[in-house]
């Protein structure tokens, strides 16, 4: 037999010899009692010789580093091999090989899944080398490889003074971003990343590459815009309609006093804000000498002048002056450096909720009391929101798989920690769960699929709402054997 189960492997007494020198996570994986197939070294060698790109195995240099996801709490789950694909042919070879030997597979682009869903104990198919970006000034179309990251978009679109709605973290993969929707500071004026997608090439389980757009394979194209990550196939390219960009006014203000009154003034300002305003508002809890200290901050960009921004901020500044205040008018791509974040791998858990309308006084009081009751880690806990509206709502919930239209905010609670005592993490997770559940009274039951959350109840309904039955039908049509799966994937 070409492959053996983990149990058969251990029963045969070869586990320790094979696992020797491969590190604790690999031994834990062997011992965790699941019944997944393990391919023999000879079979892995077959794969290695069939690939144009490299195959990394647990004894390859820096293997754990290559396998490491952004979400460090899942870094112990190591694959048996990482195929660094350099062509569609390589991806096809991986798909055929994994199916022939019944090895589970996963696609990895930027590796920034919050839930570590681009990790596996089988074969990791990395498309990160397919990171080309070809943008055409005349048509405004940009064709990106399936493994391009935000940083590739920044580099290639900058000389053209054009952009798409990209995220703030340069290392995030465009694949994961667009396939789950894609929010960013341009979304109110230009729509979501998925709204700008005009075509994508996807390899199905049988190795066939199809080009999906509004005319061809329109059902799959519909599904990929909001529910595509890891569900239907492996995307090898994305074509976007870019838009021209100009100077922006970017800003970051923070307050440490009168948080509730200042927050309310921000909410009131946003009710009539122009579409060119993109903001993130955060209330952060940190521990100082055993007490919890809160701060409020607002980060964003305005397609407009400093005077226009100052006019918007004026009613907020009458509540109180900020503790820190930076406002700059910059060319678009310099402005993106101001608002971007490094987004290094970390231990964290983020849970989101879409919000309709304004948050009531009671909702704000619930946020503040929960943050004040934060049990504490060595880092921070943040409740935050991104302002929605504008062009996002020019599409209807049924126009594509991304169902979340007509909301005012995408809110989330973010918990961050360094490696800590297990009890500390357990206390924090309990706190997060209570806070998240309480917020449902003031928000909606819908959550952002790109802030994918392994502890979300009714997650399929929360991510896809009324679009779920159609998505399941499309899944059955294009991936009937459920080759592309992960714990929260769309079931057949
Ligand atoms: C630091 C940080 C900042 C973020 N900022 C933003 C933001 O500004 N806006 C926003 O909307 N979201 C943001 N996110 C969330 C982000 O959009 C999602 O985590 C996204 O899924 C990451 O994509 P990835 O390609 O980097 O991740 P991966 O872990 O590689 O992939 C995510 C999922 O997509 C699948 N997948 C990857 N590549 C392909 C492919 N080529 N074909 C088919 N399936 C594929 C994977 O199997 C996995 O299920 C951020 C996340 C982090 C960690």
């Amino acid at each position: 037999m070409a492959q053996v189960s983990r149990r058969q492997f251990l029963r045969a007494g070869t586990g320790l010899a094979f696992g020797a020198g491969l590190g604790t996570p690999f031994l834990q994986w062997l011992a965790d009692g699941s019944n997944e197939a393990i391919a023999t070294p000879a079979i892995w060698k077959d794969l290695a010789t069939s690939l144009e790109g490299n195959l990394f195995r647990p004894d390859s240099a820096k293997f754990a580093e290559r396998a490491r996801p952004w979400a460090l709490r899942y870094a112990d789950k190591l694959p048996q091999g990482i195929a660094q694909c350099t062509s569609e042919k390589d991806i096809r070879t991986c798909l055929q090989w994994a199916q022939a030997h019944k090895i589970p597979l996963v696609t990895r682009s930027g590796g920034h899944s919050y839930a570590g869903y681009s990790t596996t104990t089988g074969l990791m198919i990395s498309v990160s080398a397919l990171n080309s970006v070809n943008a055409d000034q005349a048509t405004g179309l940009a064709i990106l490889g399936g493994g391009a990251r935000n940083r590739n978009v920044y580099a290639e679109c900058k000389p053209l003074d054009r952009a798409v709605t990209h995220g703030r973290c340069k290392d995030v993969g465009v694949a994961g971003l667009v396939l789950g929707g894609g929010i960013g500071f341009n979304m109110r004026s230009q729509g979501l990343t998925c709204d700008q997608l005009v075509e994508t090439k996807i390899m199905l389980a049988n190795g066939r590459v199809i080009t999906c757009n509004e005319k061809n394979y329109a059902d799959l194209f519909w599904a990929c815009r909001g529910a595509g990550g890891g569900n239907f196939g492996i995307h090898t390219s994305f074509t976007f309609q870019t838009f021209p960009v100009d100077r922006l006014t970017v800003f970051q203000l923070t307050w440490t006093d009168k948080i509730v009154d200042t927050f309310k003034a921000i909410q009131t300002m946003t009710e009539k804000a122009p579409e060119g305003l993109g903001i993130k508002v955060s209330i952060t809890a940190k521990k100082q000498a055993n007490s919890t200290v809160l701060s409020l901050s607002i980060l964003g960009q305005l397609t407009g002048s400093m005077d226009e921004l100052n006019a918007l901020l004026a009613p907020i500044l009458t509540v109180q002056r900020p503790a820190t205040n930076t406002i700059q008018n910059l060319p678009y791509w310099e402005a993106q450096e101001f608002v971007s974040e490094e987004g290094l791998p970390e231990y964290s858990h983020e849970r989101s909720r879409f919000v309709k309308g304004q948050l009531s006084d009671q909702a704000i009081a619930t946020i503040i009391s929960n943050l004040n009751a934060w049990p504490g880690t060595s880092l921070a806990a943040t409740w935050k929101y991104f302002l929605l509206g504008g062009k996002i709502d020019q599409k209807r919930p049924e126009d594509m798989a991304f169902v979340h239209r007509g909301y005012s905010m995408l809110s989330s609670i973010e918990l961050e920690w360094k490696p800590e005592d297990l009890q500390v993490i357990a206390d924090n997770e309990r706190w997060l769960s209570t806070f998240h559940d309480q917020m449902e009274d003031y928000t909606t039951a819908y959550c952002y699929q790109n802030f994918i959350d392994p502890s979300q109840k009714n997650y399929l309904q929360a991510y896809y709402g009324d679009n779920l039955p159609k998505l399941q039908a499309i899944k059955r049509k294009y991936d009937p054997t459920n080759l592309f799966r992960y714990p929260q994937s769309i079931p057949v």
Side-chain angles (χ1 to χ4, degrees):
M1 194 167 101
Q3 84 277 342
V4 290
S5 77
R6 191 188 312 255
R7 286 200 189 106
Q8 289 164 326
F9 189 75
L10 288 172
R11 262 203 307 271
T14 52
L16 274 178
F18 189 65
L22 299 182
T24 316
F26 189 73
L27 293 174
Q28 275 167 356
W29 169 74
L30 283 172
D32 78 3
S34 68
N35 205 18
E36 282 167 7
I38 300 172
T40 62
I43 289 172
W44 282 102
K45 204 167 168 207
D46 281 351
L47 177 62
T49 50
S50 312
L51 291 175
E52 290 162 2
N54 290 318
L55 177 72
F56 300 103
R57 293 273 287 140
D59 56 356
S60 307
K62 299 188 183 166
F63 184 75
E65 215 173 291
R66 289 182 196 283
R68 192 175 63 191
W70 173 85
L72 292 178
R73 61 193 307 203
Y74 307 104
D76 276 358
K77 187 175 180 181
L78 288 179
Q80 296 170 60
I82 305 171
Q84 185 74 52
C85 295
T86 55
S87 62
E88 285 182 348
K89 182 170 165 280
D90 274 357
I91 300 175
R92 186 174 298 111
T93 301
C94 287
L95 291 181
Q96 285 167 349
W97 178 92
Q99 289 174 92
H101 301 295
K102 298 192 170 54
I103 303 296
L105 60 88
V106 88
T107 314
R108 162 77 59 93
S109 175
H112 276 57
S113 166
Y114 278 179
Y117 287 154
S118 59
T119 56
T120 176
T121 53
L123 172 65
M124 182 190 291
I125 302 177
S126 171
V127 295
S128 61
L130 305 177
N131 61 1
S132 59
V133 178
N134 293 301
D136 179 8
Q137 182 68 278
T139 60
L141 293 176
I143 303 175
L144 277 62
R149 299 189 186 220
N150 280 331
R151 72 169 63 256
N152 305 113
V153 176
Y154 279 44
E156 302 301 326
C157 288
K158 186 176 174 180
L160 304 181
D161 273 333
R162 301 191 73 88
V164 290
T165 296
H166 48 77
R168 292 175 48 228
C169 171
K170 289 185 189 173
D171 280 342
V172 167
V174 174
L177 181 79
V178 62
L179 296 172
I183 65 160
F185 285 146
N186 295 320
M187 64 187 160
R188 284 167 43 80
S189 59
Q190 305 291 342
L192 300 162
T193 320
C194 62
D195 297 340
Q196 293 149 13
L197 187 70
V198 293
E199 191 165 282
T200 177
K201 276 167 77 184
I202 176 169
M203 186 175 294
L204 302 177
N206 61 10
R208 194 158 66 98
V209 177
I210 59 176
T211 301
C212 315
N213 51 39
E214 291 285 5
K215 289 201 178 113
N216 300 316
Y217 303 99
D219 52 355
L220 187 53
F221 186 56
W222 177 93
C224 292
R225 288 172 292 160
N231 275 313
F232 304 105
I234 301 185
H235 293 257
T236 59
S237 87
F238 300 99
T239 304
F240 291 99
Q241 182 62 58
T242 62
F243 51 84
V245 292
D246 208 339
R247 294 182 76 87
L248 290 175
T249 300
V250 283
F251 53 95
Q252 180 157 37
L253 290 81
T254 58
W255 296 266
T256 47
D257 287 326
K258 296 188 192 166
I259 287 182
V260 170
D261 290 343
T262 313
F263 182 87
K264 287 182 186 171
I266 295 172
Q267 254 208 142
T268 306
M269 179 275 282
T270 59
E271 270 180 315
K272 294 193 192 96
E275 287 183 356
L277 182 76
I279 54 166
K280 177 178 88 137
V281 178
S282 312
I283 308 176
T284 299
K286 287 193 174 162
K287 290 287 181 195
Q288 272 176 20
N290 280 335
S291 58
T292 305
V293 181
L294 302 190
S295 62
L296 169 66
S297 70
I298 171 168
L299 172 75
Q301 68 179 42
L302 176 72
T303 320
S305 65
M306 286 176 75
D307 284 349
E308 285 167 288
L309 179 73
N310 283 325
L312 282 173
L313 294 179
I316 303 165
L317 300 187
T318 58
V319 178
Q320 64 170 331
R321 308 299 307 169
T324 66
N325 180 358
T326 313
I327 303 180
Q328 291 177 4
N329 186 270
L330 296 169
Y332 181 87
W333 287 105
E334 275 177 53
Q336 294 316 303
E337 297 299 330
F338 180 93
V339 293
S340 74
E341 64 169 346
E342 213 167 351
L344 294 174
E346 63 174 42
Y347 294 90
S348 62
H349 188 177
E350 185 151 349
R351 309 199 63 185
S352 68
R353 294 234 183 250
F354 284 93
V355 181
K356 216 173 177 87
Q358 298 281 289
L359 287 171
S360 63
D361 289 357
Q362 213 183 340
I364 299 168
T366 303
I367 294 164
I368 299 294
S369 67
N370 272 287
L371 287 172
N372 277 323
W374 176 49
T377 68
S378 47
L379 288 175
T382 302
W383 179 90
K384 66 184 179 208
Y385 78 83
F386 299 88
L387 186 66
L388 301 178
K391 289 273 185 318
I392 299 168
D393 301 334
Q394 282 189 350
K395 301 268 192 256
R396 296 166 306 163
E398 63 273 27
D399 284 347
M400 60 184 84
F402 189 88
V403 71
H404 313 291
R405 310 280 175 174
Y407 296 122
S408 55
M409 304 172 188
L410 169 58
S411 72
S412 76
I413 311 165
E414 182 185 1
L415 187 60
E416 296 166 286
W417 64 91
K418 288 188 182 151
E420 322 246 359
D421 190 82
L422 288 179
Q423 190 56 49
V424 172
I425 297 169
D427 292 346
N428 272 273
E429 284 290 354
R430 234 186 330 273
W431 169 84
L432 177 61
S433 170
T434 307
F435 189 0
H436 180 70
D437 289 350
Q438 283 178 10
M439 287 310 290
E440 191 174 340
D441 290 346
Y442 311 107
T443 61
T444 68
Y446 297 106
C447 308
Y448 182 29
Q449 50 271 49
N450 261 354
F451 293 176
I452 204 155
D453 176 7
S455 46
Q456 182 57 45
K457 293 177 214 135
N458 299 325
Y459 55 86
L460 289 171
Q461 192 59 37
Y463 301 150
Y464 308 118
D466 289 346
N467 285 341
L468 182 60
K470 185 169 169 184
L471 281 168
Q472 286 186 278
I474 295 170
K475 172 79 175 172
R476 281 192 292 273
K477 179 172 169 189
Y478 289 97
D479 184 26
T481 64
N482 201 19
L483 179 68
F484 300 102
R485 61 180 184 272
Y486 54 91
Q488 292 193 340
S489 57
I490 297 165
V492 276

